[in-house]
Structure formats: structure tokens, C-alpha cells
Amino acid sequence: MCGITGWVAYDSDLTQHQQTIDAMTATMAERGPDDGGTWVRRHAALGHRRLAVIDPPGGAQPMTAAEPGGDVALVYSGETYNFTELRNELRGRGHRFRTASDTEVVLRAYLEWGEGVAEHLNGMYAFAVWDGREDKLVLVRDRMGVKPLYVHPTPDGVLFGSEPKAILANPLARRVVDLECLHELIGFTKAPGWSLWKGMTEVEPGTVATVTRGGIKHRTYWSLPTWEHTDDAPTTVARVRELLDDTLRRQSVSDVPLCALLSGGLDSSTVTALSAPHARERGERLRTFSVDFAGLEENFRPDEMRDTPDSPFIREVAAHVGTDHRDVVLDSARLVDPAVRRAVLLSRDMPIGLGDIDSSMYLLFRAIRERSTVTLSGEFADELFGGYIWFHHPAARDADTFPWLAFQNAHTTDRTALLHPEVRRRLDIPGYIADQYADAVAGVEHLDGASAQERRMRTVCNLHLTRLVRALLDRKDRLSMAAGLEVRVPFADHRLVEYVYNVPWRLKSSDGREKSLLREAVRSALPSSVVDRAKSPYPTTQDPLYAKALQAQAREVLADTGDPVFELVDRAWLSDVLEQDPAALPSDRRLGIERVLDLHHWFDIYRPELQLG
């Protein structure tokens, strides 16, 4: 896992801009703490930071191949899980290899198949190839969007990077944020291609972008397929288990220490149970890690989203599977530390405002990195198998909008409430969401003769797999890579996604509960208490001292009459929230304070130019 960046300029001599490409590359030092390098030619410059996972001595980048007609250079981020099979196939086609790295396999695969290389890969990746034979840049992103990739067109070429900060380090990229940029930050629909920064876009998952003197062309090489599912229930359960077993076998390969995240829920417990045998084959005991908050188990208060604390289930799975388990216990002082908030903001390049959910995950990843370099995650299972509460909540599921926005309870919030009234009026977030929803639904393909329920549930599943999960994958990538930790996502294997997406809802929810299909597929591998446990989301602190500390920090912001945060935030709203008792502060108000503090630090770090006219 690494960070990549680059600059193509057909009317400039980039050999005169080494300092700039070095600065772009340096922004991603945390993504690649083990090594770094650049490759600079007249019209193309590539930068790379490396987190060594496969063949640490041999996988240095940028990696090049001298070909008749010009050099071909690669910078690559991610993992190709079928690299062993591909290497054997390429050897059979006459290719010779100097290293044991998957990076060289991807380079040789490009030389064999050109821009069609992506169709041959199973993995999570974002990479760039400068093909000197044709003076073109080829950018490729994985099918699900696990690894990020951004582009910024210029008058004579393009800038690109794993993260916006790499592009923003180039003086050609202005730090402008306008109303169009803010729409998605507030709306949370995960619009395709969106970036917070004007002029910058995200290369969409399953896409190849080719840059030539004539401009940028995009080709979709993968999208969610629609087909009729013909397997019966027992065959479907068996096939899901078969795909999971094969995926965990592939994703357990690493030349550095590997572990698993364990929350005691169905998803992470499945990953733990199915990966542990592969650790034993290597003569190791699988390490597992979880996040907890000081005093949470002893003082836990059930609510609409969480019936029980995670800790008892974590202990049960760790004992059942036989893992080497460690809890990372956090207190409110660490969670509310402004330095942690700034580190999270720097990792994400935007003020997303998820508060202790983000900060605790970042601190968890930092703690894991002290003992492991790669971890396996249960991310993607809820979106794939129908795990969220709103999949089974008729008012939210059947609403004429995104279900995660329609769902209402004590934890949901009006994301526009904190905005200055004039900003709120200009943004028209309800109108933006309605337009995004209409576009998203129009792209869903249905089977002829499908019932109304099956059509609706296919639409709901599609929205989660093409919209919501991409935001969550981006979050996990940014926070983990800021700690120099690679997170693998077995449930995002495209073979599994294609199969499960086309399973009828009546089989996915055969007993009327969430993730029925997954439960049956892994029942034999886990304790029954975990298999039958109700969905519980990522934990948050319940300590009232946390809310009190947030209020104290926000009062300092309120007292500064010149703070640019009030170009967006309603000062009266913040004043009112700060008068409330922190022990009784509703969750939506607490999240509002988190967003104000995020915006405050974002303005200080990035100095954005707002264009709100």
C-alpha cells in the first residue's frame, strides 16, 4: 500500500520542476513511510511513497521497463491478490521477472495487455503508467474504489494523486471551494467523481482514464452487472462461503505482519474466523485488535442503535478462534485532543465532522501499526448483505431518497442546521439530494418481470454499493494510511459482490433479519451468540466529559470574532448549543459542534478560498 502522484505537461519541461514533484510526493510520506522516489522526464513526472508489504527489497518504485520506442514507468498503490497466477501466465507469454513483487506483475501485465490490464486484476489498486512509446498517461482505479485516485486537468496536461493534498502541493492547483463543492460535503450522497476542491475530480471506481495531448478520456471497465440468480438457497449459501474462503486465502498473503480488526459483530468475526487458519499455516497466531472506551462496558447505556457493548462478544470470538487479541482503550482526553483532530483532517483533506468516530479509528490504527503493517477489515458487508437498520425500516427503505438520509432517530441530524441562513438558502441541499437521487436511481438496471419489492431492494442495494460504501471506503483508507497501515477489505472482492448483488432479497433476508445469507454461510465458523447478534454500529464514547470538552473548545471559536468558520456557520446556532447541559446534549447537537471544530481547523490548515456567490 502506497501513495502515488504525478504531473503530465505536454508544453513544459518538467525536468525543471523537480522541487515541485518532490513536494507533491512528500505530502504522502505517511501513506508510504518505508521508501520514496520520483521519475522525471520532459513531459511526465511520477512520484511514489511506499509501504512495503510484498517483496520489501524488490518492489521499489517508480518501476520502469525499457521498451523499443520509449520507457514505460509505473507508480502503483494497493494489492493485486491474483499476482501469483498472473505472473505464471505472463511467464508463459514470454515475460521475465526481476523481483517477487506484485508491482512488477502489474507493469508486465500492462506491457502485455495495455489499457485492458485492469480486467485481469483481482485486488484493490490505483496506479498510473506513463507510456513513453505513445506519450500517454494511463490511470486505473479498482472496481470498488477501495484505493483513492484524484485528477486535476491543467491547460497542457494533468495533475494526479492518491489524495488531494498531493495535487494541492502544485502551484497550478488553487485551493478554491465553491457552492458546487460544498453541496456534497453537506448532502452526503457520494456523488460520482466529487472532490471538495474546485477543478479536481475523483477517478471513478472501475475506470481507466487516459491522458494524451488531446485531453482526458474515460472508459468504464467494470460496473455492477445484473443477471438472473438461478441457484437455490442451499447452493447460494455454499457459494457465498466458497467465495469468502477463497477471498480470505488470497488476502492473507503478506510478507509483513498481518492482523484483523475485531468488533464482535458478524462481519469482523467472519473475517477473523476465516483468516485464522491461514495464519496457523504460517506457524503464527492471528493477531486481532479492537477499539474500546474507558468505562464504556461498565457504564453502557443501551439505545436504539446498540443493545449491548461489544466487549463480551469480542472476548468470545477471540477465545473461540484462538487469536492473540488486544484492546485499544481510549479516554476522552485523547479523543478530544485538537492535535488528533488536525491529524484526522490532514488525512481526509476535508472537514467531514464525524468526530470521535474518526478520531478513535485513527488512534486505533496508530496503535495497530506498532505491531502490524496489514490488517483485514469487515467493511463492505453491511452494504453488500443488507445489514443496516434502514434496510428493514419501511419508512426509510421506501422513501423517495437515499435510505441513509431518510432514516430518522436520536442519532440522525440535520446537517444544514449549523449553517448560516444565507449559505443554507444558496446551497439548497434538499434540491441537491433530490437531483442526485434521481440520477442514481436512473442508473439501476432491473430484471424483466421482477416484483415491486425485488425492484426496490435491488435499487436500495445498488445505492449502497455505488454511493454510500464508497464514502466509507475512502474514510477507512485515509485514516489507516495516515498511520502507515494497510487495510484490506475481503467483502469487496468483485466476484463476491457480483454474486451477492444478484441474489434475490428473499434469500438475502430469508428470516426477516439483517444479513440472513451471511449468517447462514458462516454459522459453522462462529459462536451462535455472535451469529445471532443484532447489528451494532461502530462504537462511540458515552462519556459526558467528552461533550463538555467539545463545548469548551467551541467557546474559544465563538469568542474569535474574526474566525473564518463563520463564513459558513450560524453564530447564533453555535451560541445556543453551547448553553446546553453537556450531560444532556443530544447526539445531533454534539455532531454539530464536531463539524464546527472541524471547519475551524480546516480553515487554519488549508486556507481555502471560498466562492459563495
Side-chain angles (χ1 to χ4, degrees), residues 191-192 402 432-444 462-463 467:
F402 297 98
Y432 169 78
I433 292 172
D435 290 344
Q436 286 296 320
Y437 179 73
D439 288 346
V441 170
V444 181
N462 184 288
L463 294 176
R467 295 285 188 132

Side-chain angles (χ1 to χ4, degrees), residues 104-274:
E104 187 179 12
V105 171
V106 173
L107 177 59
R108 305 306 303 186
Y110 173 81
L111 295 175
E112 180 66 30
W113 293 300
E115 294 179 26
V117 60
E119 285 89 337
H120 295 266
L121 307 181
N122 176 313
M124 55 177 190
Y125 45 80
F127 61 88
V129 178
W130 173 256
D131 193 333
R133 299 169 300 182
E134 301 179 49
D135 277 357
K136 70 177 181 180
L137 178 74
V138 178
L139 300 166
V140 182
R141 192 172 181 206
D142 67 68
R143 295 170 180 83
M144 301 303 154
V146 180
K147 303 311 298 174
L149 183 59
Y150 293 84
V151 295
H152 186 301
T154 64
D156 69 334
V158 72
L159 308 171
F160 71 88
S162 293
E163 298 180 358
K165 63 174 62 67
I167 295 172
L168 294 173
N170 190 301
L172 293 177
R174 293 174 58 199
R175 301 188 175 205
V176 174
V177 175
D178 63 10
L179 287 174
E180 287 298 314
C181 301
L182 290 173
H183 273 143
E184 181 57 35
L185 181 69
I186 307 299
F188 199 59
T189 72
K190 197 59 176 83
W194 174 79
S195 164
L196 178 60
W197 305 97
K198 186 176 181 179
M200 191 184 306
T201 59
E202 186 180 37
V203 176
E204 292 186 39
T207 297
V208 176
T210 304
V211 182
T212 65
R213 288 182 179 273
I216 305 177
K217 294 182 179 179
H218 295 83
R219 176 179 69 88
T220 300
Y221 72 87
W222 185 91
S223 59
L224 272 176
T226 297
W227 62 59
E228 184 177 0
H229 185 78
T230 58
D231 291 343
D232 60 16
T235 304
T236 300
V237 170
R239 179 57 177 159
V240 169
R241 179 59 182 269
E242 178 186 7
L243 286 167
L244 284 170
D245 284 337
D246 184 67
T247 297
L248 267 301
R249 175 186 62 80
R250 292 173 181 270
Q251 297 197 22
S252 294
V253 175
S254 174
D255 291 336
V256 294
L258 178 144
C259 66
L261 302 175
L262 177 59
S263 70
L266 179 65
D267 312 335
S268 66
S269 299
T270 294
V271 170
T272 297
L274 299 188

Side-chain angles (χ1 to χ4, degrees), residues 296-469:
L296 179 62
E297 183 175 5
E298 298 83 355
N299 303 296
F300 181 80
R301 299 186 304 274
D303 58 31
E304 185 177 358
M305 301 294 285
R306 301 171 182 85
D307 293 332
T308 58
D310 291 337
S311 297
F313 299 94
I314 292 170
R315 290 191 291 268
E316 186 173 9
V317 173
H320 179 83
V321 177
T323 71
D324 176 9
H325 183 76
R326 296 200 174 196
D327 292 315
V328 177
V329 181
L330 306 173
D331 59 26
S332 292
R334 293 188 71 192
L335 290 171
V336 83
D337 184 351
V340 172
R341 185 178 298 276
R342 291 174 74 87
V344 169
L345 274 168
L346 279 167
S347 75
R348 304 203 66 182
D349 293 313
M350 59 183 175
I352 200 68
L354 291 179
D356 68 302
I357 294 177
D358 273 359
S359 56
S360 64
M361 185 174 287
Y362 169 72
L363 291 170
L364 169 65
F365 290 151
R366 279 181 51 182
I368 293 174
R369 186 60 177 88
E370 296 175 1
R371 290 174 53 84
S372 291
T373 308
V374 179
T375 190
L376 299 165
S377 167
E379 194 82 80
F380 211 101
D382 283 319
E383 295 80 9
L384 183 58
F385 288 94
Y388 292 116
I389 189 172
W390 47 80
F391 274 93
H392 309 273
H393 190 284
R397 181 191 63 213
D398 300 332
D400 196 22
T401 189
F402 297 98
W404 56 91
L405 298 180
F407 181 71
Q408 295 292 317
N409 72 354
H411 295 273
T412 57
T413 177
D414 176 4
R415 295 171 65 86
T416 69
L418 59 83
L419 295 176
H420 188 285
E422 180 59 21
V423 174
R424 191 186 313 134
R425 183 190 68 79
R426 291 183 181 181
L427 282 173
D428 183 21
I429 294 301
Y432 169 78
I433 292 172
D435 290 344
Q436 286 296 320
Y437 179 73
D439 288 346
V441 170
V444 181
E445 182 183 358
H446 293 282
L447 294 172
D448 293 338
S451 67
Q453 183 197 36
E454 286 294 342
R455 288 177 65 88
R456 180 57 190 169
M457 294 315 299
R458 181 179 285 276
T459 296
V460 169
C461 291
N462 184 288
L463 294 176
H464 283 77
L465 294 173
T466 61
R467 295 285 188 132
L468 180 62
V469 78

Side-chain angles (χ1 to χ4, degrees), residues 524-537:
S524 64
L526 294 170
S528 59
S529 60
V530 174
V531 173
D532 296 324
R533 184 189 180 194
K535 161 70 181 174
S536 183

